[in-house]
Amino acid sequence: EVQLLESGGGLAQPGGSLRLSCAVSGFTFSRYGMSWVRQAPGKGLEWVSSISGSGGSTYYADSVKGRFTISRDKSKNTVYLQMNSLRAEDTAVYYCATVGNWFDPWGQGTLVTVSS
Amino acid sequence: QSALTQPRSVSGSPGQSVTISCTGTSSDVGGYNYVSWYQQHPGKAPKLMIYDVSKRPSGVPDRFSGSKSGNTASLSISGLQAEDEADYYCCSYAVSYTWVFGGGTKLTVL
């Protein structure tokens, strides 16, 4: 069974940092691109970042470019999202998902709250 | 990276059909056949319902169908059931390996 399990969410201060993790099981991790998608409270979905199966290519939404870094560790079957210079508008549930030409499957999400 | 345009809400009675539109540009919806649709119930993760404009993943009822014309994609749901009540999001691949979602449509089954 394919499973994606996010962790690392919590409360951070404006200007602070957090690192999210997404542990993957049930499929060959290195064969698939991975993405992070977020959803602010009561709002819609927003693509944040993607990384290729090899980890050699990364892509970011303009809203997080220069502040967030996506990476993956094939020895741990885990993808990460390092979030620096956090802003109040980064408050959201962050989902990881496998990406091809679509997003599937998804994890259950982890809540990030940026507030002083 | 502007969001795709969806109606805020649609509604229908059980057994009826509804269609949700998703309008983008030639740089996303109109430029690629990589439109997907997601269903999200409150407090749950999104679920893939349609991919590559009109393909259904295994396990998704054939009451759900997708199409595209120009810069507008559509999700149609026939034979509405109570469990179809949810938020629906379209998504399209865009230029330079980026993705854009629609603002979401709340489907109410009356």
Side-chain angles (χ1 to χ4, degrees):
Chain A
E1 180 188 4
V2 174
Q3 286 194 329
L4 289 77
L5 185 62
E6 301 96 334
S7 61
L11 178 64
Q13 293 196 336
S17 299
L18 277 178
R19 188 178 81 156
L20 306 183
S21 300
C22 174
V24 172
S25 61
F27 65 91
T28 306
F29 181 63
S30 60
R31 290 184 62 183
Y32 296 93
M34 298 294 298
S35 289
W36 290 93
V37 177
R38 68 184 180 184
Q39 186 170 35
K43 303 297 185 182
L45 301 171
E46 179 188 15
W47 171 76
V48 173
S49 180
S50 295
I51 186 168
S52 62
S54 67
S57 298
T58 57
Y59 312 96
Y60 299 94
D62 289 344
S63 58
V64 306
K65 198 172 294 183
R67 300 188 299 122
F68 291 10
T69 303
I70 191 171
S71 62
R72 62 193 297 160
D73 183 338
K74 64 179 182 181
S75 69
K76 296 182 178 179
N77 277 13
T78 299
V79 62
Y80 302 98
L81 186 68
Q82 177 67 44
M83 304 186 296
N84 298 332
S85 303
L86 284 164
R87 305 168 180 168
E89 54 264 37
D90 295 319
T91 294
V93 173
Y94 285 72
Y95 296 98
C96 69
T98 303
V99 62
N101 297 332
W102 57 87
F103 298 94
D104 182 67
W106 298 61
Q108 87 291 343
T110 187
L111 176 63
V112 171
T113 303
V114 183
S115 174
S116 55
Chain B
Q1 296 176 346
S2 299
L4 306 176
T5 300
Q6 297 181 233
R8 279 187 170 264
S9 64
V10 297
S11 62
S13 299
Q16 290 188 332
S17 299
V18 296
T19 297
I20 299 171
S21 62
C22 170
T23 301
T25 69
S26 58
S27 295
D28 38 63
V29 175
Y32 308 93
N33 287 323
Y34 298 145
V35 176
S36 50
W37 290 89
Y38 303 86
Q39 177 191 66
Q40 187 180 37
H41 288 107
K44 301 295 186 181
K47 175 187 175 183
L48 177 68
M49 303 301 285
I50 295 288
Y51 67 96
D52 289 355
V53 176
S54 60
K55 299 177 181 177
R56 269 190 318 276
S58 173
V60 172
D62 60 6
R63 302 185 295 103
F64 291 83
S65 62
S67 62
K68 190 186 85 167
S69 177
N71 296 337
T72 298
S74 299
L75 173 70
S76 296
I77 310 171
S78 61
L80 273 176
Q81 299 182 4
E83 57 263 35
D84 298 334
E85 184 162 297
D87 293 326
Y88 290 85
Y89 294 90
C90 63
C91 179
S92 175
Y93 176 82
V95 295
S96 302
Y97 297 96
T98 63
W99 298 86
V100 60
F101 283 90
T105 298
K106 181 176 180 59
L107 168 62
T108 301
V109 181
L110 302 170

